[in-house]
Amino acid sequence: MAPPTLISSVQRALRLLEAVAASADAIPAKKLARLTGLPLPTTYHLLRTLVYEGYLRKAENGYVIGPSATASGRSPLQSLHPRIQPVLRSLRDELGGATYLSMYDHGEIRLVDIADGPHAQCVDLWVGVHEAGHATAFGKAILASLDPELRDDYINRHDLHDLTPNTITNRNALERRLADPPEIWSDSEEYLLGTYCLAASIRTSDLVASIAVSLPTHRGRSDSQAHALHRAAHRLRRTIGAPSITM
C-alpha cells in the first residue's frame, strides 16, 4: 500500500494547536516556536491563519484556544499547569538548565511545557520533538515506560533520524537501550552537539510523561543532578496523582 500523502503545513498547524491547548496560560509566539520546533517566521504565518479561522485567539500575553476549537484535544495535564510550572522552575533554578515536561499523547511524544530563562536557555529544537523521541532523554524515558505494543507502534511509524554522530539510528540498538532502563535517562549529544539531557519518566494508570533538564556538555553529569530529578519527578507524581513512578 502506498504511504498516505501528508500536508506538512497542516501538521505544523496541529502542533501549534496542541501546544496552546496544553497550556492554561496564553503562550507567546516565540515560546510556541520553541515548543513545536518550528521556525519563528513559519510560526507567525500559521498563527495568523489559525486566528483568522477562529481556532486560536490573540490575547494580551500570547495565544489561547479560540471558539472554533473544541476542548477534546486538550492535554490531560492542562488543568494542572499552575501546579506543574513551579516544579519545572524550581528544578531549573537548582540545576541551572532549562527544564521540560513531555508526555505520550495519542501515539506521539508531545512537549507540554518548558521553564527556561536568561541563564538557562532552552535547547534549539531544530527537529520537532514528535520526530526525535529516539534522540532525547525524555523521549527514551517515555518509550521505555510504554506498553510493548505501543512502543513498537511508535517505532514503526517514526524514522530514526541521524541528528548527530551520537544518535541511535539502529532499531535493534534502540530496543536494547529501552529494554534496560536506568534510574535516570540521558542523551549525550544525541539530539544536539554541545548539549546533554537528563530525564526521569512518570507513569500513572492514565498517563506516561517525563521531566527533563538540558545542560551544556562541559558541565558534566553529577549525582546531585540525578537526585534533583528524582525529587522533581516525585513532586510531579503527587501533583498528577500517580500511583507509581518509574525512573
Side-chain angles (χ1 to χ4, degrees):
M1 180 182 295
T5 300
L6 303 179
I7 308 301
S8 59
S9 59
V10 175
Q11 292 178 305
R12 296 185 187 111
L14 290 172
R15 300 292 86 80
L16 289 171
L17 277 173
E18 290 163 353
V20 174
S23 175
D25 303 318
I27 308 184
K30 289 183 179 179
K31 184 172 183 179
L32 282 169
R34 294 199 302 271
L35 285 168
T36 57
L38 295 175
L40 188 57
T42 300
T43 301
Y44 277 122
H45 285 307
L46 292 171
L47 288 173
R48 280 195 293 268
T49 302
L50 290 168
V51 169
Y52 178 82
E53 296 293 340
Y55 287 94
L56 293 181
R57 179 171 59 85
K58 181 71 168 68
E60 181 179 354
N61 297 320
Y63 294 84
V64 297
I65 289 295
S68 296
T70 66
S72 60
R74 291 186 176 184
S75 161
L77 299 180
Q78 181 177 8
S79 62
L80 298 176
H81 176 83
R83 296 165 59 191
I84 288 171
Q85 258 293 312
V87 180
L88 295 180
R89 290 197 297 266
S90 177
L91 183 63
R92 175 200 64 192
D93 295 342
E94 181 175 359
L95 297 185
T99 54
Y100 313 80
L101 181 66
S102 55
M103 63 175 289
Y104 178 80
D105 180 38
H106 294 89
E108 299 295 342
I109 294 173
R110 312 289 189 202
L111 190 55
V112 178
D113 211 344
I114 295 174
D116 58 358
H119 303 294
Q121 294 293 325
C122 171
V123 169
D124 179 12
L125 299 170
W126 66 286
V127 175
V129 169
H130 60 285
E131 297 177 347
H134 65 294
T136 61
F138 57 76
K140 287 191 282 286
I142 288 175
L143 290 174
S145 298
L146 292 176
D147 294 334
E149 61 273 17
L150 293 178
R151 182 167 58 246
D152 288 343
D153 172 70
Y154 179 92
I155 296 175
N156 286 336
R157 291 185 291 104
H158 294 80
D159 293 329
L160 303 183
H161 297 292
D162 184 7
L163 305 183
T164 79
N166 301 319
T167 307
I168 297 175
T169 57
N170 178 274
R171 174 167 179 156
N172 290 334
L174 177 62
E175 290 176 339
R176 287 195 298 270
R177 180 93 173 263
L178 298 176
D180 186 22
E183 289 190 355
I184 293 293
W185 287 90
S186 66
D187 79 70
S188 298
E189 301 184 302
E190 293 178 47
Y191 180 84
L192 185 68
L193 293 177
T195 299
Y196 75 97
C197 184
L198 302 175
S201 59
I202 305 167
R203 179 165 184 170
T204 78
S205 58
D206 302 314
L207 182 72
V208 176
S210 176
I211 182 171
V213 60
S214 61
L215 296 162
T217 302
H218 66 78
R219 292 261 311 263
R221 179 175 172 174
S222 67
D223 290 340
S224 63
Q225 295 165 355
H227 293 156
L229 266 172
H230 275 296
R231 292 193 301 271
H234 179 68
R235 288 178 64 189
L236 285 180
R237 177 195 64 178
R238 291 184 299 170
T239 296
I240 297 170
S244 62
I245 186 167
T246 302
M247 288 186 283

